[in-house]
């Protein structure tokens, strides 16, 4: 006679959580990237413009910390924005320091991009439902808080 499964046996998640989250992130990122591409920006560039607008003028090191990004990644991501004339790197309080400033054309580009970002967000809300998006935000925030206690392994880059 075979024993029946115990109703008290724990039900465990099936599949790899990392893989599932990466699949979701790729799909969401592609959705935002496609919308942002309509104004000629990458989502990372929009995020940078938004942070500089909100926090600037700001030292690059402080901006990197605020964005949870390492300094070399920030420098690499700032370069196209400087080249486009949307931000400037100007002298700071002393000869060794610099400050990141947003320019008027950077403010205009950010405003244009914000409309596209809003369209992407509204389309996502429509596809998933506002309640599910709010629950997803809460679950992510709660999970980040719970995972904060785990040791972080350095891999030379920050997400």
């Amino acid at each position: 006679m075979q024993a029946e499964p115990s109703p008290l046996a724990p039900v465990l998640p099936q599949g790899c959580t990392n893989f599932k989250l990466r699949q979701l992130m790729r799909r969401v990122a592609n959705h935002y990237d496609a919308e942002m591409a309509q104004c000629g920006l990458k989502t990372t560039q929009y995020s940078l413009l938004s942070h500089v607008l909100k926090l600037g003028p700001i030292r690059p090191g402080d901006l990197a910390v605020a964005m949870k990004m390492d300094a070399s990644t920030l420098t690499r991501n700032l370069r196209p924005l400087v080249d486009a004339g949307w931000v400037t790197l100007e002298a700071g309080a002393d000869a060794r320091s610099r400050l990141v400033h947003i320019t008027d054309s950077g403010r205009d580009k950010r405003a244009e991009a914000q409309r596209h970002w809003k369209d992407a967000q509204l389309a996502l809300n429509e596809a998933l439902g506002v309640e599910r998006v709010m629950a997803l935000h809460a679950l992510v925030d709660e999970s980040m808080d719970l995972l904060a206690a785990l040791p972080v392994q350095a891999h030379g880059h920050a997400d």
Side-chain angles (χ1 to χ4, degrees):
M1 180 174 206
Q2 245 181 335
E4 299 229 354
S6 166
L8 301 177
V11 177
L12 298 174
Q14 297 296 305
C16 174
T17 303
N18 183 52
F19 180 70
K20 287 183 171 294
L21 287 172
R22 284 179 178 266
Q23 278 184 312
L24 176 63
M25 190 55 227
R26 274 192 299 272
R27 183 64 189 93
V28 170
N30 287 342
H31 170 74
Y32 279 86
D33 287 343
E35 187 63 45
M36 297 309 292
Q38 294 182 43
C39 66
L41 284 182
K42 296 178 179 177
T43 53
T44 53
Q45 293 171 326
Y46 170 67
S47 182
L48 256 172
L49 282 175
S50 296
H51 276 82
V52 174
L53 177 65
K54 180 180 178 184
L55 303 173
I58 185 170
R59 294 182 328 177
D62 294 338
L63 181 58
V65 169
M67 295 187 72
K68 296 177 177 58
M69 178 184 292
D70 67 56
S72 64
T73 300
L74 176 71
T75 299
R76 193 170 49 254
N77 289 340
L78 273 176
R79 178 57 40 210
L81 301 182
V82 170
D83 291 346
W86 297 325
V87 299
T88 59
L89 283 169
E90 299 176 11
D94 61 59
R96 293 175 300 155
S97 69
R98 297 183 303 166
L99 293 174
V100 182
H101 294 258
I102 192 165
T103 64
D104 287 342
S105 65
R107 289 175 193 276
D108 292 344
K109 178 52 79 171
R110 196 262 180 191
E112 176 190 358
Q114 188 176 31
R115 292 188 293 274
H116 287 280
W117 175 88
K118 186 175 181 180
D119 289 346
Q121 184 65 49
L122 291 173
L124 193 70
N125 291 352
E126 179 72 25
L128 297 178
V130 172
E131 298 80 11
R132 184 173 284 117
V133 172
M134 289 173 58
L136 182 60
H137 285 209
L139 184 59
V140 167
D141 291 344
E142 199 176 302
S143 297
M144 291 296 291
D145 289 344
L146 291 168
L147 291 173
L150 292 180
V152 176
Q153 302 296 319
H155 294 289
H157 70 280
D159 289 329

